[in-house]
Amino acid sequence: MPLSSPPPIRSNFAASRAPLNTDDASQGYAVGSRWLWPLTRSEWRCVDATAGAAIWIQADVLDHGGYVAGNWYLPVQTPQSTGGANPGTAGLITLLPGVLKERVLITALGVRVSTAGAGNVSSAVFRSKAGRTGALLVNTGSMSTASVASISAPPVQGDQFADPGLYWFATMMDNTAAALLSAIATAANPVLSALLGSVSQTIAMTAQGFGGYTTPGTFGSWPADLSAATLTELTSARAGVVSFKTGALS
């Protein structure tokens, strides 16, 4: 006698919200059910379908509690110093990778001036392509580096949604006097070694470390795409850390 097939497990691939604890066995869900919210590219799996107490685990965000509209954040996995400085980077774009865990609306970008100097800084976010830099998502206009302060500006493109994934957070200055709160580059940096790798085992594993990438740039004119850019490992300086402010989450 042939064995009967188990009943199909219900899933929801066209949701317009996150699952609730009432999305449970009484609704046809079971352990293993999947829940997809296409607008936010978010996915959950059911690990307990108990009526009135269902538990859904969101994919790939177990290390992040979720974004709150109106808050400032650093991208996940951005290594940050307690105040060091990056030498003036006039003529260079500095780039740090960072991960966004959920779809967010970016309403502003900001940096911290740790050493004042006459001039300006601009920040930007680039998409990732094949593990390296891709197309420009947003950039700010000029922000003064004349005072030690946290400074920010809205994107010149207007508020922009960013889907979950790897992005490149960039800074560019027009002077060599100012310095920014920066990523660690003078000690081993396992975060960047894990994300980016290096052609040099010494750089990837020893105290030399590296703090992101640089590529040539002209202040006031962000490239539309860095897919073909020549990226140089930043081993003797530090890349400025870029924060972002969130708006509506969907």
Side-chain angles (χ1 to χ4, degrees):
M1 182 176 181
L3 297 176
S4 59
S5 300
I9 296 177
R10 181 185 179 186
S11 292
N12 184 351
F13 296 112
S16 57
R17 59 168 175 82
L20 306 173
N21 61 4
T22 52
D23 295 305
D24 53 32
S26 68
Q27 307 299 316
Y29 297 105
V31 173
S33 291
R34 296 172 61 191
W35 184 288
L36 179 65
W37 187 355
L39 178 63
T40 62
R41 277 63 164 186
S42 302
E43 183 182 0
W44 291 259
R45 288 184 181 275
C46 181
V47 296
D48 187 333
T50 302
I55 298 174
W56 294 82
I57 300 296
Q58 189 169 358
D60 196 36
V61 291
L62 299 181
D63 57 351
H64 194 275
Y67 299 103
V68 176
N71 279 5
W72 283 93
Y73 292 91
L74 291 177
V76 175
Q77 294 179 307
T78 294
Q80 180 181 344
S81 74
T82 56
N86 59 317
T89 52
L92 288 176
I93 297 170
T94 66
L95 295 146
L96 269 178
V99 176
L100 299 181
K101 287 292 189 174
E102 293 180 347
R103 188 173 192 255
V104 296
L105 182 67
I106 296 176
T107 62
L109 298 176
V111 297
R112 172 74 181 176
V113 179
S114 56
T115 300
N120 298 279
V121 63
S122 179
S123 57
V125 180
F126 288 83
R127 294 181 174 88
S128 178
K129 181 178 180 181
R132 292 297 183 263
T133 48
L136 178 69
L137 176 65
V138 291
N139 67 270
T140 69
S142 297
M143 300 178 283
S144 174
T145 57
S147 301
V148 174
S150 294
I151 55 177
S152 63
V156 298
Q157 297 87 350
D159 298 349
Q160 296 290 318
F161 277 106
D163 293 325
L166 178 69
Y167 290 84
W168 294 85
F169 293 77
T171 61
M172 183 163 42
M173 292 197 288
D174 64 0
N175 67 90
T176 59
L180 307 176
L181 180 71
S182 58
I184 298 168
T186 55
N189 195 323
V191 173
L192 294 184
S193 296
L195 275 179
L196 305 179
S198 173
V199 294
S200 167
Q201 183 182 15
T202 299
I203 290 176
M205 297 189 68
T206 71
Q208 181 179 3
F210 67 105
Y213 290 127
T214 63
T215 193
T218 301
F219 188 83
S221 179
W222 284 99
D225 197 299
L226 287 178
S227 297
T230 299
L231 303 178
T232 301
E233 292 177 350
L234 193 58
T235 59
S236 60
R238 302 181 182 184
V241 170
V242 179
S243 58
F244 63 94
K245 188 177 183 181
T246 59
L249 301 180
S250 63

